[in-house]
Amino acid sequence: MRNQRASAVLGEEGIDAFTQKILECMKVYYRLVGIDDEVIAGKGCIVPRGILPRFTEGLIHYFKALKEETAGNKEIAVLQHSGITTIKIRYKYTDSVIKKLVKLGLRQPLLLEDPLKIFLKGGALHDLIGMLFICSSPYEREWAARALYSFFDYEHRTDDHLLYGFYSVKRKSGYRGLHCDHTRFYPRFDTHFEENRLPEDDIFDIFDPAMSQTELLDRFRNFFNIEIQLHTAFENLWAGMEHRNSYNIQAKGAGRSEKIAVQWNLLSDTMKNLEMQFERLQVDTEQARFDVGYRQGYTFVKSVLERLDASAYQTYLSYVKKSESLETLLKNHEISRQAYVEESYEIAAELEEIADRQNYPTLQILFLMQSAFMHYGLANHRNYFNSEDIYRFVHAALNRYLAIYEMLKADESIYKSNLLMIIVILRYQQLAQQYGLGLIHTGDGVMSKEELALVNYETNLTLFKDLLTQLNELTPEELSEIKNDDTAFLKMVHRTDVLAREWELLVNESPEEHKRIAKEVARFRTRYVTSELWEHFHTLLEHNKIKNVSYVVKFYTTLLWHGLIIPLDALKQIIRYSAYDKIKTSDLFYYELAAYKFLAVDGCECLEDCAQKREMRKMSVQRRAYFEDFHRKNMIRQLFKIYKNEPRFTFLRAKYRFEQLIGTPFRMDHFSERLTKA
């Protein structure tokens, strides 16, 4: 009290009364810990076995037991794969509790009037029990925070400064970490723990030393706050050093000079920089496998060019290299945006001139496709050009692809016309998805007249139906040719299936027309979206044939959506690849959407469940509710981030998909519990 200058606050006459209140609080604390005359007489030889030590022991034992049962418990596996390497727990000891009570009591004397309330959930001593989770790298913290939501109940918000309820802490001493206060232990997935109200009985009356650990955790988890701290390995190393050498000195009242505080802060910054360099080295090392050379184009395009004109392929390839070199100059800021546009137009015009000189219609189409691709590239540089320029680029690219499409429709004699038409349609639809809603038809009021003129639903639907027809009618020889083309086959199947999922979102055609399209979609999926697709993807991935991290995440989502992989296996891979590159929030959103469908809608926990009829699946009501709540809240948080950081149509598409599957309207002015069923 002297160190906290209690006499200056209370006056000498108030010290005795204040001291008595602190002692009353400590009596309650001793009862919670189990410190009695026997423990005191034992002088450290007898371990107290009260509620607090038993509860904290039970918590750490719970996580250890789950770790040993990894094969049967998916939640602890997710926690481990999220990067958590170490779990520690403690409850505050006598000295720390006294110091905290004095500090709190001097600020708000009324807190000491109810000693028991101070130590229980909702009380002032929110960090009576603390748990520390340590992960290896900074990028893993978000995954760890996400995984911990399965084990703890805490406020789940979207504020920019919060991470799944965690907030960043940085003190003058240099301490850094993520904290989450006022949580309670509640593993929603575990059927041993049911949501219930606080018992009406006194906490000491319901304590029975003979209780099992699981029973004790269930009975007392609603009584206690738990403060969670999340550190990286470097943060934990520094925190331990600083705590031993600095914190205790200050706590004992010796204090620290400003000079010492500055030195600790500088040391913290140095270690933080070192940690960032290690993480960058890790990313660069892993990303080496994703280094991309010149785009060689489709393998079958090369074979067609060489078959019809031996010199045509070299000409074609030289223009591919020109376009990629030009893009590199732009990204390295070695060329102005205006010069980039002018040179891109020149390359596109030269390709069109070469196309006009070709003797074969097939060669003409191929060079026109490469010319259209130059405009397609311009349309995808939103970071460099304003919206007016981008829409001009998009308009030019779409018109060129439509013109090529009409040429292919008019001349069926063109060699490999069906394969070429698939590529042209997919290129068109990619732009239609980025600068419109693609095959999501929402009616009036969503898109402006200018946007509707650029990409309209009727054109998209016509192209989609032709795409399904071409894919469903590919001969075994043509299919084999595409499969040999590294990722070309996967991209065709994945992008077509994404279009099909969007078309399924809202019914806009007559019943007869809808039935016809649905039949073609079913034919497509029966032929292509199979376990063989998963094996093909896995083979290419293992042989480093896939060069795009975002595409890896998207493809795992497609596999999950169709029940070809379980959510845990997909998530483990997504976490793994998030070390290579930053995953877009929208890509992660669609993983959550697919996981929600697999677990909460279809009620599956394993691939065998998916093969059974719905009524035969045995997921408990509690676990289903847990999956529904967990993935729904993840998606809500991600929708806020997509709205802020990604293009408008990306947000709208995600929003419609969320509302269609969840059955809940998404509102920008509400979150979580305040959302009600429509």
Side-chain angles (χ1 to χ4, degrees):
M1 288 192 290
R2 183 168 56 252
N3 293 334
Q4 295 288 342
R5 299 178 181 177
S7 59
V9 177
L10 303 171
E12 290 297 335
E13 67 280 2
I15 291 293
D16 289 341
F18 185 77
T19 302
Q20 189 59 39
K21 289 181 179 179
I22 294 294
L23 291 174
E24 291 297 324
C25 292
M26 290 308 298
K27 287 180 182 179
V28 173
Y29 169 77
Y30 277 11
R31 287 190 70 189
L32 288 171
V33 177
I35 298 176
D36 52 22
D37 292 339
E38 182 182 359
V39 173
I40 294 172
K43 296 182 179 181
C45 296
I46 300 176
V47 178
R49 304 299 296 163
I51 298 172
L52 264 180
R54 286 287 310 281
F55 186 77
T56 52
E57 286 174 12
L59 274 176
I60 202 68
H61 179 271
Y62 182 84
F63 282 94
K64 286 181 178 178
L66 285 183
K67 186 175 180 180
E68 294 170 1
E69 301 168 4
T70 299
N73 190 283
K74 298 178 177 61
E75 282 67 35
I76 193 66
V78 170
L79 190 63
Q80 288 177 294
H81 284 284
S82 70
I84 295 292
T85 57
T86 306
I87 303 174
K88 297 180 180 180
I89 189 169
R90 63 98 182 109
Y91 62 89
K92 277 188 176 297
Y93 296 128
T94 302
D95 286 352
S96 295
V97 171
I98 292 174
K99 290 162 189 166
K100 196 68 174 279
L101 288 175
V102 170
K103 184 178 179 180
L104 292 170
L106 290 175
R107 289 180 179 177
Q108 300 182 54
L110 292 178
L111 290 176
L112 304 181
E113 299 297 328
D114 189 346
L116 180 59
K117 184 178 179 181
I118 291 176
F119 297 99
L120 301 185
K121 182 165 178 60
L125 203 64
H126 66 81
D127 58 347
L128 177 63
I129 298 175
M131 292 195 73
L132 172 63
F133 294 86
I134 303 170
C135 55
S136 300
S137 302
Y139 85 89
E140 292 172 326
R141 287 184 300 190
E142 181 164 357
W143 295 112
R146 178 187 183 279
L148 286 173
Y149 188 69
S150 296
F151 296 89
F152 297 93
D153 189 20
Y154 52 80
E155 194 172 8
H156 192 94
R157 297 170 59 187
T158 62
D159 308 52
D160 292 339
H161 65 287
L162 291 176
L163 179 69
Y164 284 87
F166 285 77
Y167 60 92
S168 298
V169 175
K170 182 181 179 182
R171 300 194 178 108
K172 290 182 179 179
S173 63
Y175 170 85
R176 286 183 173 92
L178 291 177
H179 288 199
C180 188
D181 302 331
H182 302 291
T183 73
R184 68 183 177 115
F185 177 64
Y186 178 33
R188 299 168 179 78
F189 57 87
D190 195 330
T191 54
H192 293 98
F193 300 87
E194 295 184 4
E195 179 65 23
N196 50 36
R197 295 177 298 174
L198 281 172
E200 296 179 0
D201 299 325
D202 183 86
I203 185 172
F204 297 109
D205 292 338
I206 64 174
F207 176 60
D208 182 355
M211 283 180 173
S212 68
Q213 287 179 320
T214 300
E215 184 181 6
L216 187 136
L217 286 178
D218 190 36
R219 294 289 295 275
F220 291 98
R221 61 187 173 82
N222 288 322
F223 281 105
F224 294 115
N225 292 320
I226 298 174
E227 182 192 62
I228 303 174
Q229 294 185 8
L230 186 56
H231 290 174
T232 64
F234 272 86
E235 287 171 341
N236 187 63
L237 173 63
W238 184 91
M241 293 168 54
E242 195 271 349
H243 186 85
R244 286 191 299 273
N245 291 281
S246 183
Y247 178 85
N248 287 336
I249 294 173
Q250 185 186 44
K252 292 174 182 176
R256 287 179 297 193
S257 68
E258 286 297 319
K259 181 180 178 181
I260 295 298
V262 168
Q263 288 176 328
W264 277 108
N265 201 17
L266 287 173
L267 176 60
S268 173
D269 289 340
T270 300
M271 292 191 68
K272 183 65 178 177
N273 290 334
L274 184 61
E275 180 182 51
M276 291 173 63
Q277 289 179 46
F278 267 105
E279 185 178 39
R280 185 67 256 172
L281 178 62
Q282 177 191 8
V283 171
D284 290 344
T285 301
E286 299 290 355
Q287 232 175 11
R289 66 179 294 191
F290 288 96
D291 286 344
V292 183
Y294 283 117
R295 187 177 61 86
Q296 299 296 316
Y298 292 95
T299 303
F300 76 86
V301 170
K302 175 184 176 182
S303 64
V304 170
L305 286 165
E306 290 180 332
R307 185 176 305 176
L308 296 178
D309 186 337
S311 63
Y313 178 68
Q314 293 305 319
T315 304
Y316 178 88
L317 187 59
S318 68
Y319 277 92
V320 170
K321 291 181 177 180
K322 275 185 184 180
S323 65
E324 294 200 348
S325 296
L326 187 61
E327 186 171 358
T328 300
L329 291 175
L330 177 67
K331 291 180 177 179
N332 292 338
H333 305 287
E334 296 177 16
I335 188 174
S336 69
R337 288 176 294 176
Q338 182 63 33
Y340 176 75
V341 173
E342 291 174 355
E343 291 192 34
S344 294
Y345 281 164
E346 287 179 15
I347 292 174
E350 289 174 14
L351 285 164
E352 289 176 5
E353 290 176 6
I354 294 172
D356 288 339
R357 298 197 298 266
Q358 299 305 312
N359 296 322
Y360 299 103
T362 305
L363 292 180
Q364 182 183 16
I365 291 291
L366 290 174
F367 280 103
L368 286 175
M369 286 173 63
Q370 186 59 29
S371 174
F373 188 75
M374 294 302 301
H375 294 277
Y376 177 90
L378 284 168
N380 281 283
H381 282 313
R382 272 188 291 244
N383 293 335
Y384 296 93
F385 301 100
N386 60 41
S387 57
E388 184 178 341
D389 289 335
I390 288 293
Y391 272 92
R392 187 172 73 252
F393 300 149
V394 172
H395 187 266
L398 290 175
N399 283 342
R400 279 165 171 77
Y401 281 121
L402 278 179
I404 296 170
Y405 167 77
E406 294 298 339
M407 292 172 67
L408 289 166
K409 290 276 288 184
D411 189 352
E412 295 182 358
S413 67
I414 294 174
Y415 186 62
K416 302 292 184 183
S417 62
N418 47 357
L419 295 178
L420 297 175
M421 186 177 291
I422 290 169
I423 296 171
V424 168
I425 293 175
L426 287 174
R427 289 284 187 205
Y428 181 95
Q429 293 285 17
Q430 263 194 299
L431 287 178
Q433 285 183 310
Q434 291 178 51
Y435 300 98
L437 286 173
L439 289 167
I440 299 177
H441 193 293
T442 59
D444 298 331
V446 177
M447 296 175 66
S448 67
K449 292 181 179 179
E450 293 78 11
E451 290 167 339
L452 287 171
L454 190 66
V455 284
N456 62 78
Y457 179 77
E458 289 72 21
T459 303
N460 292 334
L461 183 63
T462 298
L463 293 174
F464 175 59
K465 290 190 290 185
D466 266 349
L467 174 63
L468 290 172
T469 300
Q470 298 300 333
L471 282 167
N472 287 336
E473 293 180 359
L474 284 179
T475 65
E477 178 187 359
E478 291 167 334
L479 188 55
S480 176
E481 197 168 10
I482 286 292
K483 285 185 177 180
N484 291 331
D485 203 359
D486 287 344
T487 59
F489 169 68
L490 293 177
K491 289 178 180 177
M492 287 180 181
V493 174
H494 171 259
R495 290 172 181 170
T496 304
D497 189 68
V498 169
L499 290 171
R501 280 181 260 160
E502 289 194 351
W503 172 78
E504 291 168 334
L505 184 60
L506 299 169
V507 178
N508 298 287
E509 298 77 38
S510 66
E512 295 77 14
E513 177 70 356
H514 189 84
K515 187 175 180 180
R516 280 193 294 271
I517 299 174
K519 185 177 179 180
E520 290 301 303
V521 169
R523 281 183 62 199
F524 160 76
R525 286 176 174 159
T526 300
R527 185 177 189 187
Y528 294 105
V529 188
T530 63
S531 57
E532 184 183 347
L533 181 72
W534 162 223
E535 292 167 5
H536 187 76
F537 170 71
H538 182 71
T539 300
L540 292 178
L541 200 58
E542 290 301 309
H543 288 83
N544 299 331
K545 297 291 186 181
I546 299 178
K547 303 294 184 181
N548 187 303
V549 174
S550 178
Y551 178 70
V552 171
V553 176
K554 291 175 181 176
F555 201 84
Y556 273 116
T557 297
T558 294
L559 294 172
L560 175 57
W561 185 269
H562 293 290
L564 296 173
I565 187 174
I566 63 173
L568 174 60
D569 289 343
L571 182 62
K572 287 192 296 189
Q573 294 300 325
I574 290 172
I575 292 173
R576 172 190 173 193
Y577 285 101
S578 68
Y580 306 152
D581 199 3
K582 186 167 179 62
I583 297 173
K584 288 197 299 186
T585 304
S586 54
D587 291 343
L588 189 56
F589 167 85
Y590 286 108
Y591 159 77
E592 300 287 358
L593 191 77
Y596 184 97
K597 175 182 179 292
F598 188 98
L599 297 163
V601 177
D602 296 338
C604 300
E605 283 203 76
C606 60
L607 297 183
E608 290 73 18
D609 288 343
C610 297
Q612 293 181 336
K613 294 181 179 179
R614 285 181 179 271
E615 58 271 18
M616 299 296 291
R617 298 168 189 171
K618 299 179 181 179
M619 184 187 294
S620 68
V621 174
Q622 183 176 342
R623 281 188 67 78
R624 197 162 186 159
Y626 152 68
F627 288 129
E628 181 177 345
D629 176 71
F630 179 66
H631 291 290
R632 174 177 167 272
K633 286 184 176 178
N634 284 340
M635 284 187 282
I636 291 172
R637 178 178 179 274
Q638 288 154 1
L639 280 169
F640 277 99
K641 291 181 69 176
I642 295 170
Y643 176 79
K644 180 179 178 181
N645 300 319
E646 299 192 39
R648 170 174 169 251
F649 287 114
T650 303
F651 166 73
L652 288 175
R653 182 174 292 103
K655 172 180 176 290
Y656 289 131
R657 295 296 301 276
F658 171 85
E659 293 178 339
Q660 183 258 355
L661 188 65
I662 310 300
T664 302
F666 176 78
R667 301 171 185 167
M668 292 303 301
D669 58 342
H670 292 82
F671 182 73
S672 190
E673 318 312 335
R674 302 180 72 181
L675 281 170
T676 56
K677 293 285 183 180

